[in-house]
Amino acid sequence: TAFGESLAAARREALSAFGDDAVLIERYVRRPRHIEIQVFGDTHGQVMHLGERECSVQRRHQKVIEESPSPALTPALREAMGAAAVRLARAIDYTGAGTVEFLLDEAGEFAFLEMNTRLQVEHGVTELVTGLDLVHLQLQVAAGEPLPFAQDDLRFAGHAIQCRVYAEDPSRGYLPSAGRLTRFAPPSGDGIRNDLGVYEGVEVTSHYDALLAKLLVYGDNRTAAIAHTAAALAGYAVEGVTTNLALLRAAVVHPEFVAGRTFTTFLEEHVLPAMETEGPPVEALLGAAAFDLLAPSRAAGPWSAGPWRQAGAGARLVYEHNGERYTIHAARVGHGAWNLTVEDESAEAGSPRPGTASSSTPSSTTTPSSPPSLAAPSRPAGGKRAGGLGHHLTIEPLAPDRVLVREGTRVYNCRVQTDEDALHLTFGERHVSLRRGAPPSAASSAHATPLAGGPRTLAAPLAGVIVKVAVAVGDRVSARQPLIVLEAMKMEHTIEAPADGVVTTVHRATGDRVQAGDLLIEVGPA
């Protein structure tokens, strides 16, 4: 079943992109590296290669981080792969810039993957280590001029790394993000090159690729290039859309990346699990609490009218993040002013989890001197109520989906989107998803699998085209069962059932174009 669904998805994408849904079945390479060779040919019979690029750090089979030279290649393997790429290009009398891509297995054997007959997105790393302008070379060759050097004339120096900055949310399956760039400040300095496709104030839409910019960094060696890249990413600032900057920062400092042990599964095996085990930033918990305290009518979770929300001057709010529970006790102390205490129920009383901070001093008596670092966001305190963090806040609504939180000199402008009983918060360039939980007395019903109450309406997370409706009215569905497949930004996004239930309404059909927020399907209790 899984193979059939994957095959059908591949044929849909091929038909949409190329007008041909034919599919080739190739040898499976376990834990491959993705290595590509830059080739160039002219009209005078010269064909040569300009070295390799390591492109193994990928998500959804699309490259995220590229570097040159590859830490995986020995001189002999580099020569063999370069020679193979040149033979291929010469066999078809290739002219201009092209890229021959290979998969490299753990035994050092490589297999042809494809050839791209154009400049690649990552061609800049080759320019940095060769000192060549590949675009200029293309124009020279197109004008009938010979390549101005021979293979033996090429010299490679230093190390280059490129990071692709995407408007997407890695924590939600790399869901593309749209919105206006209220802030866009790429880093600058020696050894830093920015290839930009956007600017501050531009509207990022879901009609185009999610790539915002390419950050290219050069160093005298790989160690220097990694350190320079990490520093540059720490200085990158984007607001208005969710980006993958946190993922990039975590990736380039990961021990496996530093050691050069990157395969195409690197992000899924190492980086995403490490990010998911971290607790949510304090700002996310405070923003969620402020949103729910100000707008109880917008609390879409099953407990919005239940025991977790109490009328009057006090409230108890429960949120879940990656299986951990956080309880916030809120007490109103004035107009728009609240005292909040955060409990991390996953830790022992008075002993914070690793990576968290603990404080028993209410922040109403202290004034933070500066916002927390973007590279190392603050974490909620461990322990029960006596050992939790105290916060004195003033909160006010800015718009139906925005709330302003002030704590001392810190100001959090949070955008909040709701999806069933989940809150998706964006503050600055960071994005965090929290799920509304139930208090202990209601915990048994909170984790029940079947739907209860009325139907749940699932909406389009972004603009796109419906490519598949997998169910019909009356069908019984299970939790996480695919219901609708939406294509947007060259990727397919699957809308799944939130729990066991029965499909009560299907609002859209295959081929329909939808906007973000459009109703797609309703699932009621079984």
Side-chain angles (χ1 to χ4, degrees):
T1 300
F3 175 79
E5 292 176 353
S6 297
L7 177 62
R11 297 185 67 176
R12 283 195 304 269
E13 289 191 40
L15 184 62
S16 173
F18 312 115
D20 184 352
D21 65 354
V23 175
L24 298 176
I25 296 180
E26 301 175 330
R27 178 169 66 92
Y28 175 67
V29 180
R30 187 180 300 275
R31 285 175 60 81
R33 289 179 179 267
H34 187 138
I35 309 290
E36 62 188 29
I37 306 293
Q38 178 73 60
V39 296
F40 241 100
D42 62 23
T43 57
H44 300 268
Q46 289 192 95
V47 181
M48 63 191 69
H49 73 84
L50 310 184
E52 83 280 358
R53 294 186 290 260
E54 169 82 51
C55 307
S56 299
V57 180
Q58 304 178 2
R59 58 98 170 98
R60 302 186 69 166
H61 309 295
Q62 292 185 326
K63 303 162 190 173
V64 177
I65 299 175
E66 300 97 348
E67 58 180 313
S68 182
S70 167
L73 300 195
T74 62
L77 186 54
R78 179 174 291 111
E79 182 177 353
M81 295 182 74
V86 169
R87 286 198 304 273
L88 186 152
R90 183 171 284 122
I92 59 175
D93 295 324
Y94 189 74
T95 301
T99 303
V100 182
E101 304 194 357
F102 298 96
L103 292 182
L104 177 68
D105 67 18
E106 293 183 273
E109 296 184 1
F110 60 93
F112 173 72
L113 178 62
E114 65 178 2
M115 181 177 185
N116 284 292
T117 55
R118 54 177 170 79
L119 279 184
Q120 297 281 84
V121 175
E122 60 277 11
H123 75 276
V125 295
T126 296
E127 293 184 329
L128 291 178
V129 296
T130 62
L132 299 173
D133 184 333
L134 300 192
V135 176
H136 187 225
L137 284 178
Q138 275 192 313
L139 295 175
Q140 285 181 295
V141 168
E145 298 179 20
L147 288 167
F149 50 82
Q151 184 73 67
D152 293 340
D153 296 330
L154 286 174
R155 295 292 181 269
F156 301 90
H159 199 95
I161 298 175
Q162 174 179 282
C163 296
R164 302 192 190 191
V165 181
Y166 286 105
E168 64 184 18
D169 184 359
S171 70
R172 300 176 68 191
Y174 301 101
L175 187 71
S177 175
R180 185 174 299 279
L181 287 177
T182 56
R183 187 184 183 201
F184 184 74
S188 61
D190 292 340
I192 294 177
R193 166 176 158 182
N194 291 291
D195 289 357
L196 306 178
V198 296
Y199 51 88
E200 192 167 294
V202 76
E203 187 76 23
V204 178
T205 76
S206 59
H207 302 302
Y208 304 102
D209 189 273
L211 182 64
L212 298 177
K214 301 182 297 179
L215 172 67
L216 295 103
V217 176
Y218 177 83
D220 291 336
N221 51 56
R222 189 169 187 268
T223 299
I226 290 175
H228 202 12
T229 301
L233 287 169
Y236 221 118
V238 182
E239 295 181 7
V241 297
T242 303
T243 73
N244 68 332
L245 281 167
L247 179 79
L248 295 172
R249 291 172 182 141
V252 298
V253 298
H254 194 281
E256 292 296 299
F257 182 88
V258 173
R261 293 189 293 264
T262 54
F263 301 90
T264 56
T265 54
F266 167 69
L267 293 178
E268 286 69 30
E269 287 184 358
H270 299 292
V271 181
L272 286 175
M275 294 177 69
E276 289 174 355
T277 57
E278 298 178 346
V282 168
E283 300 92 325
L285 293 169
L286 299 182
F291 180 81
D292 282 342
L293 289 169
L294 284 173
S297 63
R298 292 178 299 188
W303 313 109
S304 57
W308 70 283
R309 180 177 296 284
Q310 301 162 5
R316 184 185 184 196
L317 312 176
V318 180
Y319 301 101
E320 297 177 355
H321 181 269
N322 295 328
E324 308 294 349
R325 289 167 56 87
Y326 302 88
T327 299
I328 297 178
H329 299 271
R332 190 193 301 272
V333 293
H335 179 67
W338 294 79
N339 281 335
L340 273 62
T341 303
V342 179
E343 296 177 5
D344 176 0
E345 297 184 13
S346 63
E348 294 296 325
S351 59
R353 291 189 301 155
T356 65
S358 180
S359 170
S360 58
T361 304
S363 60
S364 57
T365 61
T366 63
T367 302
S369 59
S370 62
S373 168
L374 291 177
S378 55
R379 301 294 178 191
K384 297 299 180 181
R385 183 177 180 89
L389 280 177
H391 301 270
H392 178 73
L393 310 177
T394 58
I395 57 180
E396 62 181 276
L398 296 180
D401 65 342
R402 288 188 180 274
V403 62
L404 189 69
V405 181
R406 291 189 176 90
E407 181 182 14
T409 60
R410 300 182 185 181
V411 179
Y412 315 133
N413 184 339
C414 297
R415 181 187 179 196
V416 186
Q417 295 175 297
T418 59
D419 176 17
E420 296 298 327
D421 56 349
L423 296 175
H424 308 292
L425 300 101
T426 302
F427 45 97
E429 66 183 42
R430 283 175 284 174
H431 180 91
V432 177
S433 294
L434 301 173
R435 186 165 296 278
R436 293 191 182 97
S441 61
S444 59
S445 58
H447 297 285
T449 299
L451 285 167
R456 292 189 183 179
T457 301
L458 304 181
L462 73 169
V465 176
I466 303 296
V467 296
K468 181 180 180 182
V469 179
V471 293
V473 173
D475 286 356
R476 287 180 172 268
V477 296
S478 303
R480 302 188 65 82
Q481 177 179 332
L483 305 179
I484 286 180
V485 179
L486 174 69
E487 183 183 53
M489 291 188 175
K490 303 195 302 182
M491 294 189 293
E492 291 191 349
H493 308 274
T494 302
I495 311 301
E496 300 177 338
D500 296 352
V502 175
V503 177
T504 59
T505 309
V506 178
H507 292 278
R508 299 289 178 170
T510 299
D512 285 356
R513 181 170 291 279
V514 297
Q515 299 299 317
D518 286 354
L519 303 184
L520 299 180
I521 200 166
E522 294 183 25
V523 181

